[in-house]
Amino acid sequence: MSAYASADEYNLADLLCCAASREVKDNETVFAGTGLPMVAIMLAQKTHAPKLKLIFEAGTLDGRPPELPTSVGDARCETGASRSSGLFDAFSIAQRGYVDLGYLGGAEIDRFGNVNTTCIGDYLNPELRLTGSGGNPDVNSFAKRTVFIMVHEKRRFVENVSYITSPGWRVKKWPEGSWIPRRELYGSAYRGGPSAVISTAGVFRFDEGDGHMYLDTCHPGKTVGEIKDLCQFDLDVSRVSGETAPPTREELRLIHEVLDPDEIFIPKKK
């Protein structure tokens, strides 16, 4: 492997991109939305997962663009693709259980991986109306694993999200409102759930038994105590494995010279 870069050679966006890229396994079918996830997945395609099959959300299947598209609807997504279709086909493939990994974002998340992209406060009289669900609940429900990439602030890592846009490992059963395991609620449609959260502070994972989030690695410069204080719930820090691995120099070269030289999504360290 190429040598790891020193702290003065990369920025936070580089670190997040590389951490996200390393969640991809070779031969997987991966669902990508616009932004940093596109760079991360294409980086994986050019490094350790050359046989991954990339689905762009707008409907291009198994695309291999030579350069970074500006969105999932960019015509460049079609280069080398097995099929160029639309949203219906992309989400139908997910619904049929063929998506191994999906990348998503969110405004709020709780200890069970329930994610809110709908509103802050009461739904009928919100303090803030957010962008809405988009494909968030679909990808989160249909993919075998989901990775969330989020800004880490205490107001975002909450005890209970204002609105469950995308269900985590413990969800409410309606109409009584009792909390039950995701597997129980989904029944035969169950395929998996949130796998990791890559925030601007660290990498988090979920316990396979109780569904609780725990801290896996701290980003360079962050301490366990600082990260724990950035959560409104009692974060499990008993399984910290160390520091998040920095980008390698080869990964930085690919990001800034091959994938995103125009700094559309990832600015270069100045």
Side-chain angles (χ1 to χ4, degrees):
M1 176 178 279
S2 173
Y4 286 123
S6 58
D8 61 353
E9 293 179 278
Y10 67 89
N11 57 34
L12 183 56
D14 293 321
L15 181 67
L16 297 183
C17 180
C18 293
S21 175
R22 292 165 190 165
E23 295 295 317
V24 181
K25 300 172 185 175
D26 203 10
N27 293 300
E28 287 192 314
T29 299
V30 188
F31 201 102
T34 297
L36 188 147
M38 286 200 308
V39 189
I41 298 167
M42 290 178 67
L43 177 62
Q45 200 172 48
K46 292 185 179 298
T47 52
H48 64 279
K51 296 180 182 179
L52 75 84
K53 292 167 283 295
L54 173 55
I55 298 179
F56 288 107
E57 185 176 350
T60 304
L61 315 179
D62 196 20
R64 294 182 177 273
E67 58 190 77
L68 182 69
T70 56
S71 75
V72 292
D74 191 319
R76 283 173 285 195
C77 295
E78 300 176 3
T79 306
S82 300
R83 183 180 178 91
S84 178
S85 183
L87 285 168
F88 179 82
D89 271 356
F91 282 93
S92 292
I93 287 173
Q95 189 178 36
R96 292 199 294 269
Y98 295 134
V99 173
D100 296 295
L101 174 63
Y103 284 90
L104 296 168
E108 288 184 325
I109 190 167
D110 67 18
R111 73 174 71 203
F112 294 114
N114 292 303
V115 168
N116 173 25
T117 62
T118 302
C119 66
I120 302 298
D122 180 70
Y123 179 79
L124 296 177
N125 187 28
E127 300 170 27
L128 179 65
R129 182 70 68 183
L130 302 173
T131 55
S133 61
N136 206 302
D138 303 81
V139 176
N140 182 51
S141 295
F142 297 145
K144 296 170 187 174
R145 301 190 333 275
T146 307
V147 173
F148 288 93
I149 303 174
M150 297 180 61
V151 173
H152 200 130
E153 299 173 330
K154 193 163 187 173
R155 63 176 178 162
R156 296 176 182 268
F157 282 64
V158 297
E159 187 68 37
N160 294 295
V161 296
S162 296
Y163 186 94
I164 298 177
T165 310
S166 296
W169 290 108
R170 290 290 187 276
V171 294
K172 284 187 176 182
K173 182 179 180 180
W174 299 104
E176 64 266 30
S178 59
W179 290 92
I180 61 173
R182 178 191 184 101
R183 184 188 294 270
E184 181 180 334
L185 181 69
Y186 278 43
S188 61
Y190 172 83
R191 300 193 183 102
S195 170
V197 179
I198 300 172
S199 84
T200 50
V203 177
F204 307 78
R205 303 195 186 276
F206 295 88
D207 184 87
E208 293 182 3
D210 59 20
H212 283 186
M213 183 190 298
Y214 66 90
L215 178 61
D216 182 19
T217 63
C218 305
H219 291 339
K222 295 290 185 181
T223 67
V224 172
E226 287 173 344
I227 297 173
K228 189 176 176 67
D229 288 342
L230 285 172
C231 299
Q232 292 184 27
F233 53 86
D234 185 17
L235 177 67
D236 179 2
V237 296
S238 65
R239 288 183 274 185
V240 177
S241 60
E243 193 171 78
T244 307
T248 66
R249 292 193 174 94
E250 175 60 11
E251 287 172 326
L252 291 177
R253 185 191 71 79
L254 288 169
I255 291 171
H256 296 294
E257 295 182 20
V258 178
L259 296 175
D260 195 12
D262 296 325
E263 303 181 55
I264 297 170
F265 298 116
I266 302 184
K268 192 172 184 179
K269 177 84 173 184
K270 302 300 183 185

Coordinates of all heavy atoms in Angstrom, one line a residue, residues 55-104:
I55 N -24.3 2.0 -9.0 CA -25.6 2.5 -9.5 C -25.7 3.9 -9.1 O -25.7 4.3 -7.9 CB -26.8 1.7 -8.8 CG1 -26.7 0.2 -9.2 CG2 -28.1 2.3 -9.2 CD1 -27.8 -0.6 -8.6
F56 N -25.8 4.8 -10.1 CA -26.1 6.2 -9.8 C -27.6 6.4 -9.7 O -28.4 5.8 -10.4 CB -25.6 7.1 -11.0 CG -24.1 7.2 -11.1 CD1 -23.4 6.5 -12.1 CD2 -23.4 8.0 -10.2 CE1 -22.0 6.6 -12.2 CE2 -22.1 8.1 -10.2 CZ -21.4 7.4 -11.2
E57 N -28.0 7.1 -8.7 CA -29.4 7.2 -8.2 C -30.4 7.6 -9.4 O -31.5 7.1 -9.4 CB -29.5 8.2 -7.1 CG -30.9 8.3 -6.5 CD -31.0 9.3 -5.3 OE1 -29.9 9.7 -4.9 OE2 -32.1 9.6 -4.9
A58 N -29.9 8.4 -10.3 CA -30.8 8.8 -11.4 C -31.1 7.7 -12.4 O -32.0 7.9 -13.2 CB -30.2 10.0 -12.1
G59 N -30.4 6.6 -12.3 CA -30.8 5.4 -13.2 C -29.7 4.8 -14.1 O -30.0 4.0 -14.9
T60 N -28.4 5.2 -13.9 CA -27.4 4.6 -14.7 C -26.8 3.4 -13.9 O -26.4 3.6 -12.7 CB -26.3 5.6 -15.0 OG1 -26.8 6.7 -15.6 CG2 -25.2 5.0 -15.9
L61 N -26.8 2.2 -14.5 CA -26.4 1.0 -13.9 C -25.0 0.5 -14.3 O -24.8 0.4 -15.5 CB -27.4 -0.1 -14.1 CG -28.9 0.4 -14.0 CD1 -29.8 -0.8 -14.3 CD2 -29.2 1.0 -12.6
D62 N -24.1 0.3 -13.4 CA -22.8 -0.2 -13.6 C -22.0 0.8 -14.5 O -21.2 0.3 -15.4 CB -22.8 -1.6 -14.3 CG -21.5 -2.3 -14.2 OD1 -20.6 -1.9 -13.4 OD2 -21.3 -3.2 -15.0
G63 N -22.1 2.0 -14.2 CA -21.3 3.1 -14.9 C -19.9 3.1 -14.5 O -19.5 2.8 -13.4
R64 N -19.0 3.5 -15.5 CA -17.6 3.6 -15.2 C -17.1 4.9 -15.9 O -16.3 4.8 -16.8 CB -16.8 2.4 -15.8 CG -17.2 1.1 -15.0 CD -16.4 -0.1 -15.4 NE -16.8 -1.3 -14.6 CZ -16.2 -1.6 -13.4 NH1 -15.2 -0.8 -13.0 NH2 -16.6 -2.6 -12.7
P65 N -17.6 6.0 -15.4 CA -17.1 7.3 -16.0 C -15.6 7.5 -15.8 O -15.1 7.2 -14.8 CB -18.0 8.3 -15.3 CG -18.4 7.7 -14.0 CD -18.5 6.2 -14.3
P66 N -15.0 8.0 -16.9 CA -13.5 8.3 -16.8 C -13.2 9.5 -15.9 O -12.1 9.6 -15.4 CB -13.1 8.6 -18.2 CG -14.4 9.1 -18.8 CD -15.5 8.4 -18.2
E67 N -14.2 10.4 -15.7 CA -14.0 11.5 -14.8 C -15.3 11.7 -14.0 O -16.3 11.2 -14.3 CB -13.7 12.8 -15.6 CG -14.8 13.1 -16.6 CD -14.4 14.2 -17.6 OE1 -13.6 13.9 -18.5 OE2 -14.8 15.3 -17.4
L68 N -15.2 12.5 -12.9 CA -16.2 12.7 -12.0 C -17.4 13.4 -12.5 O -17.3 14.5 -13.0 CB -15.7 13.4 -10.7 CG -16.7 13.6 -9.6 CD1 -17.0 12.3 -8.9 CD2 -16.1 14.6 -8.6
P69 N -18.6 12.8 -12.5 CA -19.8 13.5 -12.9 C -20.1 14.6 -11.9 O -19.8 14.4 -10.7 CB -20.9 12.4 -12.9 CG -20.2 11.1 -12.9 CD -18.9 11.4 -12.2
T70 N -20.8 15.6 -12.3 CA -21.2 16.7 -11.4 C -22.4 16.4 -10.6 O -22.7 17.0 -9.6 CB -21.4 18.0 -12.1 OG1 -22.4 17.8 -13.1 CG2 -20.1 18.5 -12.8
S71 N -23.2 15.3 -11.0 CA -24.4 14.9 -10.3 C -24.7 13.5 -10.8 O -24.1 13.0 -11.8 CB -25.5 15.8 -10.5 OG -26.1 15.6 -11.8
V72 N -25.7 12.9 -10.1 CA -26.1 11.5 -10.6 C -26.9 11.6 -11.9 O -27.1 10.5 -12.5 CB -26.9 10.8 -9.5 CG1 -26.1 10.5 -8.3 CG2 -28.2 11.7 -9.1
G73 N -27.2 12.8 -12.4 CA -27.9 12.9 -13.6 C -27.0 13.4 -14.8 O -27.5 13.6 -15.9
D74 N -25.7 13.5 -14.5 CA -24.7 13.9 -15.5 C -24.6 12.9 -16.6 O -24.6 11.7 -16.3 CB -23.4 14.2 -14.8 CG -22.4 14.9 -15.7 OD1 -22.3 14.5 -16.9 OD2 -21.6 15.7 -15.1
A75 N -24.5 13.3 -17.8 CA -24.4 12.3 -18.9 C -23.2 11.4 -18.8 O -23.1 10.3 -19.3 CB -24.4 13.0 -20.3
R76 N -22.2 11.9 -18.1 CA -20.9 11.1 -17.9 C -21.1 9.9 -17.1 O -20.3 8.9 -17.2 CB -19.8 12.0 -17.3 CG -19.2 13.0 -18.2 CD -18.3 14.0 -17.5 NE -19.0 15.0 -16.8 CZ -18.5 16.1 -16.3 NH1 -17.2 16.3 -16.5 NH2 -19.2 17.0 -15.7
C77 N -22.2 9.8 -16.4 CA -22.5 8.6 -15.6 C -22.8 7.4 -16.5 O -22.6 6.3 -16.1 CB -23.8 8.8 -14.7 SG -23.6 10.0 -13.4
E78 N -23.2 7.7 -17.8 CA -23.5 6.6 -18.7 C -22.3 5.9 -19.3 O -22.4 4.9 -19.9 CB -24.4 7.2 -19.8 CG -25.7 7.8 -19.3 CD -26.5 8.5 -20.4 OE1 -26.1 8.4 -21.6 OE2 -27.6 9.1 -20.1
T79 N -21.1 6.5 -19.2 CA -19.9 6.0 -19.9 C -19.7 4.6 -19.3 O -19.5 4.4 -18.1 CB -18.7 6.9 -19.6 OG1 -19.0 8.2 -20.0 CG2 -17.5 6.3 -20.4
G80 N -19.6 3.6 -20.3 CA -19.3 2.2 -19.9 C -20.4 1.5 -19.1 O -20.2 0.4 -18.6
A81 N -21.6 2.1 -19.0 CA -22.7 1.5 -18.2 C -23.3 0.3 -18.9 O -23.3 0.2 -20.1 CB -23.7 2.6 -18.0
S82 N -23.8 -0.6 -18.1 CA -24.6 -1.7 -18.6 C -25.9 -1.3 -19.1 O -26.5 -1.9 -20.0 CB -24.7 -2.8 -17.5 OG -23.5 -3.2 -17.1
R83 N -26.5 -0.2 -18.4 CA -27.8 0.2 -18.7 C -28.0 1.7 -18.3 O -27.5 2.1 -17.2 CB -28.9 -0.6 -18.0 CG -30.3 -0.3 -18.3 CD -31.2 -1.2 -17.6 NE -32.6 -0.9 -17.8 CZ -33.4 -1.5 -18.8 NH1 -32.9 -2.3 -19.6 NH2 -34.7 -1.1 -18.9
S84 N -28.6 2.4 -19.2 CA -28.9 3.8 -18.8 C -30.4 3.9 -18.8 O -31.1 3.9 -19.9 CB -28.3 4.8 -19.8 OG -28.7 6.1 -19.5
S85 N -31.0 4.1 -17.7 CA -32.5 4.1 -17.6 C -33.0 5.3 -16.7 O -32.7 6.4 -17.1 CB -32.9 2.8 -17.0 OG -34.3 2.7 -17.0
G86 N -33.6 5.0 -15.6 CA -34.2 6.1 -14.8 C -34.3 5.6 -13.4 O -33.9 4.5 -13.0
L87 N -35.0 6.5 -12.6 CA -35.2 6.2 -11.2 C -35.9 4.9 -10.9 O -35.6 4.2 -10.0 CB -36.0 7.4 -10.5 CG -35.2 8.7 -10.3 CD1 -36.2 9.8 -9.9 CD2 -34.2 8.5 -9.2
F88 N -36.9 4.6 -11.8 CA -37.7 3.4 -11.6 C -36.8 2.2 -11.6 O -36.9 1.3 -10.7 CB -38.8 3.3 -12.6 CG -39.6 2.1 -12.5 CD1 -40.7 2.0 -11.6 CD2 -39.4 0.9 -13.2 CE1 -41.5 0.9 -11.4 CE2 -40.1 -0.2 -13.1 CZ -41.2 -0.3 -12.2
D89 N -36.0 2.0 -12.6 CA -35.1 0.9 -12.6 C -34.1 0.8 -11.5 O -33.8 -0.2 -10.9 CB -34.3 0.9 -14.0 CG -35.1 0.1 -15.1 OD1 -36.2 -0.4 -14.8 OD2 -34.6 0.1 -16.2
A90 N -33.5 2.0 -11.2 CA -32.5 2.0 -10.1 C -33.1 1.6 -8.8 O -32.5 0.7 -8.0 CB -32.0 3.5 -9.9
F91 N -34.3 2.1 -8.4 CA -34.9 1.7 -7.2 C -35.6 0.3 -7.2 O -35.7 -0.3 -6.2 CB -35.9 2.8 -6.7 CG -35.2 4.0 -6.1 CD1 -34.9 5.1 -6.9 CD2 -34.9 4.0 -4.8 CE1 -34.3 6.2 -6.4 CE2 -34.3 5.1 -4.3 CZ -34.0 6.2 -5.1
S92 N -35.9 -0.1 -8.4 CA -36.4 -1.5 -8.5 C -35.4 -2.5 -8.2 O -35.6 -3.5 -7.6 CB -37.0 -1.7 -9.9 OG -38.2 -1.0 -10.2
I93 N -34.1 -2.2 -8.7 CA -33.0 -3.1 -8.4 C -32.8 -3.2 -6.9 O -32.5 -4.2 -6.3 CB -31.8 -2.6 -9.1 CG1 -31.9 -3.0 -10.6 CG2 -30.5 -3.3 -8.6 CD1 -30.8 -2.4 -11.5
A94 N -32.9 -2.0 -6.2 CA -32.7 -2.0 -4.8 C -33.8 -2.7 -4.1 O -33.6 -3.5 -3.2 CB -32.7 -0.5 -4.3
Q95 N -35.1 -2.5 -4.5 CA -36.2 -3.2 -3.9 C -36.1 -4.7 -4.1 O -36.5 -5.5 -3.2 CB -37.5 -2.7 -4.6 CG -38.8 -3.2 -3.9 CD -40.0 -2.6 -4.5 OE1 -40.1 -2.5 -5.7 NE2 -41.0 -2.3 -3.7
R96 N -35.5 -5.2 -5.1 CA -35.4 -6.7 -5.3 C -34.2 -7.3 -4.5 O -34.0 -8.5 -4.6 CB -35.2 -6.9 -6.8 CG -36.4 -6.7 -7.7 CD -36.4 -7.4 -9.0 NE -35.3 -6.9 -9.9 CZ -35.5 -5.9 -10.7 NH1 -36.6 -5.3 -10.8 NH2 -34.5 -5.5 -11.5
G97 N -33.5 -6.4 -3.8 CA -32.4 -6.9 -2.9 C -31.1 -7.1 -3.5 O -30.2 -7.8 -2.9
Y98 N -30.8 -6.4 -4.6 CA -29.5 -6.5 -5.3 C -28.4 -5.5 -4.8 O -27.3 -5.5 -5.2 CB -29.6 -6.4 -6.8 CG -30.5 -7.5 -7.4 CD1 -31.5 -7.3 -8.3 CD2 -30.2 -8.9 -7.0 CE1 -32.2 -8.3 -8.8 CE2 -31.0 -9.9 -7.6 CZ -32.0 -9.6 -8.5 OH -32.7 -10.6 -9.0
V99 N -28.8 -4.5 -4.0 CA -27.9 -3.5 -3.5 C -27.2 -3.9 -2.2 O -27.9 -4.2 -1.2 CB -28.6 -2.1 -3.4 CG1 -27.6 -1.1 -2.7 CG2 -29.1 -1.6 -4.7
D100 N -25.9 -4.0 -2.3 CA -25.2 -4.4 -1.1 C -24.9 -3.2 -0.1 O -25.0 -3.3 1.1 CB -23.8 -5.0 -1.5 CG -23.9 -6.2 -2.3 OD1 -24.5 -7.2 -1.7 OD2 -23.6 -6.2 -3.5
L101 N -24.6 -2.0 -0.7 CA -24.2 -0.9 0.1 C -24.8 0.4 -0.4 O -24.7 0.6 -1.6 CB -22.7 -0.8 0.2 CG -22.1 0.4 0.9 CD1 -22.4 0.4 2.4 CD2 -20.5 0.3 0.7
G102 N -25.4 1.2 0.4 CA -25.8 2.5 0.0 C -25.2 3.6 0.9 O -25.0 3.4 2.1
Y103 N -24.9 4.8 0.3 CA -24.4 5.9 1.1 C -25.5 7.0 1.2 O -26.1 7.3 0.2 CB -23.2 6.5 0.4 CG -21.9 5.7 0.5 CD1 -21.6 4.7 -0.4 CD2 -21.1 5.9 1.6 CE1 -20.5 4.0 -0.3 CE2 -19.9 5.2 1.7 CZ -19.6 4.2 0.8 OH -18.5 3.5 0.9
L104 N -25.7 7.5 2.4 CA -26.7 8.5 2.7 C -26.2 9.6 3.6 O -25.1 9.4 4.2 CB -27.9 7.9 3.3 CG -28.7 6.8 2.4 CD1 -29.7 6.1 3.2 CD2 -29.3 7.5 1.2

